[in-house]
Amino acid sequence: MQIIVLSGLPGSGKSTLAEGLSRTLSMPVFSVDPIEAAMWRSGLAKQSTGIAAYDVAIALSDEHLRLGHSVIIDAVNPVDAPRAAWRNLAVKHRAGLKIIECVCADEAVHRRRIEVRVRNIEGMPEVTWNQVLERRAEYESWSDARLVLDTSTGSAGQLLDEALNYLR
């Protein structure tokens, strides 16, 4: 049983990788963005849903782990508080914790991804490049062991293979 955490800035490729891992490993993905968008659609104020969306992902993960199922987390995880929650769940359920940090080292590629992407998450506007730059300024370095994948190089299939290799 394991918790696979995909972390990185918006547009870094973590959702694409999470979906590939989910299909390959038959594991559920708990993605913070659709959870937060559902909260907004339900009428909750945007300023109060960020941490709450992480809390929902944590609760869903906790329940699946309690049942003996592995989970994949798709979230920016920009600071230590949510990262600590994944560590705590791993300890609580005696689950392995594998972290994959997605980065897009080529800034032109990253910007182009943001400018053309359409995620179709009802109620959630697309992120702008300026918002990504703001998030980058707030993003703390990880201290945990992890695989860092530069998604600006290689195909989605190659990146998935690299991630699967790391998870073995």
Side-chain angles (χ1 to χ4, degrees):
M1 185 170 52
Q2 63 183 342
I3 303 169
I4 301 168
V5 175
L6 278 84
S7 175
L9 292 171
S12 64
K14 65 188 170 301
S15 295
T16 300
L17 184 58
E19 290 171 9
L21 289 171
S22 176
R23 285 187 189 98
T24 303
L25 302 172
S26 297
M27 294 168 71
V29 175
F30 299 118
S31 181
V32 167
D33 286 350
I35 292 169
E36 189 168 25
M39 292 174 164
W40 296 344
R41 290 190 308 270
S42 297
L44 295 175
K46 289 185 179 185
Q47 62 270 22
S48 64
T49 57
I51 292 170
Y54 275 88
D55 287 343
V56 170
I58 291 162
L60 291 168
S61 299
D62 188 38
E63 183 64 12
H64 278 261
L65 290 162
R66 184 186 66 77
L67 296 170
H69 303 292
S70 295
V71 297
I72 299 168
I73 308 305
D74 171 14
V76 173
N77 290 293
V79 295
D80 195 57
R83 297 171 185 178
W86 308 127
R87 288 184 213 109
N88 293 340
L89 272 182
V91 169
K92 176 180 177 181
H93 294 283
R94 296 185 182 141
L97 176 62
K98 292 286 191 165
I99 300 160
I100 301 173
E101 184 177 19
C102 295
V103 299
C104 188
D106 184 326
E107 190 163 310
V109 169
H110 195 180
R111 184 175 186 153
R112 191 168 40 256
R113 282 182 189 169
I114 291 297
E115 290 173 346
V116 302
R117 90 175 175 170
V118 178
R119 295 181 305 156
N120 291 320
I121 301 174
E122 184 186 343
M124 179 168 273
E126 294 299 334
V127 174
T128 66
W129 180 244
N130 283 337
Q131 289 171 316
V132 171
L133 294 177
E134 290 169 10
R135 298 294 295 271
R136 182 190 294 165
E138 300 165 351
Y139 192 91
E140 296 175 1
S141 294
W142 278 85
S143 60
D144 302 76
R146 68 198 180 285
L147 171 66
V148 178
L149 283 179
D150 180 359
T151 64
S152 65
T153 61
S155 68
Q158 290 168 325
L159 294 165
L160 177 60
D161 287 344
E162 199 172 335
L164 289 168
N165 240 6
Y166 170 69
L167 296 172
R168 288 189 182 102

